[in-house]
Each structure stands twice: as C-alpha cells, then as structure tokens.
Amino acid sequence: MSDIARLTVALHANSAQFVSELRRSQQQAGRWKVDISKAFKIAAAASAAAATGLTVALSVVYKEQSALIDQTAKFADRIGVSTEALSQLRYAAELTGVGSKDLDMAMQRMTRRIAEAAQGSGEAAPALKQMGIDAKELGRLTPDKQLHVLADAFKGVESQSERVRLAFKLFDS
C-alpha cells in the first residue's frame, strides 16, 4: 500500500475515533448541564424557602417587639414616668436579677404609696417621715426621680434590717 493510502486510512481511523470521543464528550457535557441545572433549581428553592422563613421570623420578632414597646409605653404612662426612664430602670433591674415584672410591681406600689403619703395617709407615710423625706415634695417628682431620692435616703439608714422594713413599706405588700 502506498504511503498516501496508509495515511488516508490512518486519518480516517483517527477521525472516526475523534468523532466518537467528541460525541462522548458532548453526552457527558449534556449530563453535567442537567446535573448543574438541577443543583441550581434546588439552591433557588432552598434560598426562597430560607428567605420566606426569615421573613416570617422577622415578622414574629417585629410583632413581639411592638407589643413589648406598646406595653412599656402604656405602663410608663400609667405610673407617670418616661418610657426611656422606665426602660433604663428595667435594664438595671435585669442586670441585678430583679426582673422587669418585679420592678414594675414595685414601681406601681411605690407610686401609689407615695401618693397616699402625700395626702397624709397610707403605710409609707411614717416610713418616709422616719427617713426625713417630705411626702408632698416627693409626690411632685416623677417615679424615677422618687427612686433617686429614696436611694439617697436609704444610705442614711444604719441598720440593714431597718432598711428592709422601710423598703417593704414602700415597695412590697
């Protein structure tokens, strides 16, 4: 066989193998394309689900925070203190382990008892007098300022047991 004939046969055989390999590569690329497409669809669905879940979670947090803010504002108005001052007091109460609910109850009792003492009655009147506090002047202050006055007055009470007794007259039942 001549060189040209052998070259032609070799080229034809090589090109057939090349075409075969090219088809196999195209098939693999097609399968890869399908796999990638599936993966992207799954990722898109997961992202959409995560976004929906995040939206729902944020909505719940927003509603809870809105309710808490509303409750704080209403309570602050009820006892006559600013929302900011009440929030600061609640934060301090949480830091000391008292808790917001206990603080709110104590503030409500203190406010009522100081108002009674300012009118000359109630169980806090003798306690305030003993600490050297004018109940009428104290009654003119906002509850957060009343707490400051009381804190200063408690410093002057020598006995711990007497401080506890006086505190019960002002804050507890």
Side-chain angles (χ1 to χ4, degrees):
M1 214 192 305
S2 74
D3 287 337
I4 292 180
R6 271 187 268 161
L7 182 61
T8 303
V9 170
L11 281 175
H12 182 67
N14 285 342
S15 67
Q17 184 180 1
F18 176 73
V19 169
S20 172
E21 290 294 325
L22 188 57
R23 284 188 186 130
R24 203 168 54 189
S25 293
Q26 285 175 332
Q27 288 173 347
Q28 285 179 342
R31 285 191 295 269
W32 185 74
K33 178 183 171 187
V34 168
D35 290 345
I36 294 296
S37 178
K38 287 178 184 177
F40 274 115
K41 286 179 183 176
I42 290 169
S47 295
T52 301
L54 181 61
T55 301
V56 169
L58 287 175
S59 175
V60 168
V61 168
Y62 174 78
K63 286 179 183 178
E64 287 175 358
Q65 288 301 309
S66 294
L68 181 61
I69 290 168
D70 183 56
Q71 182 264 339
T72 299
K74 286 177 181 175
F75 183 73
D77 286 344
R78 189 167 67 233
I79 64 168
V81 68
S82 71
T83 304
E84 180 181 1
L86 180 59
S87 296
Q88 290 172 352
L89 289 170
R90 282 180 172 175
Y91 178 70
E94 291 294 333
L95 288 177
T96 60
V98 172
S100 296
K101 289 183 179 183
D102 291 335
L103 172 77
D104 289 356
M105 183 60 70
M107 291 290 292
Q108 192 169 314
R109 287 178 180 151
M110 179 198 74
T111 302
R112 178 178 49 85
R113 289 180 181 161
I114 289 174
E116 291 170 351
Q119 294 175 356
S121 64
E123 61 186 288
L128 292 174
K129 188 172 186 176
Q130 181 181 343
M131 290 190 295
I133 298 173
D134 183 320
K136 287 184 182 182
E137 285 182 32
L138 187 63
R140 291 186 192 109
L141 301 176
T142 59
D144 55 319
K145 294 200 176 25
Q146 291 172 347
L147 274 177
H148 290 290
V149 170
L150 290 171
D152 289 340
F154 274 111
K155 289 178 189 174
V157 178
E158 298 282 326
S159 165
Q160 179 64 27
S161 58
E162 190 61 15
R163 273 190 226 123
V164 170
R165 186 186 71 77
L166 293 170
F168 266 79
K169 295 291 184 187
L170 292 162
F171 301 106
D172 205 358
S173 53

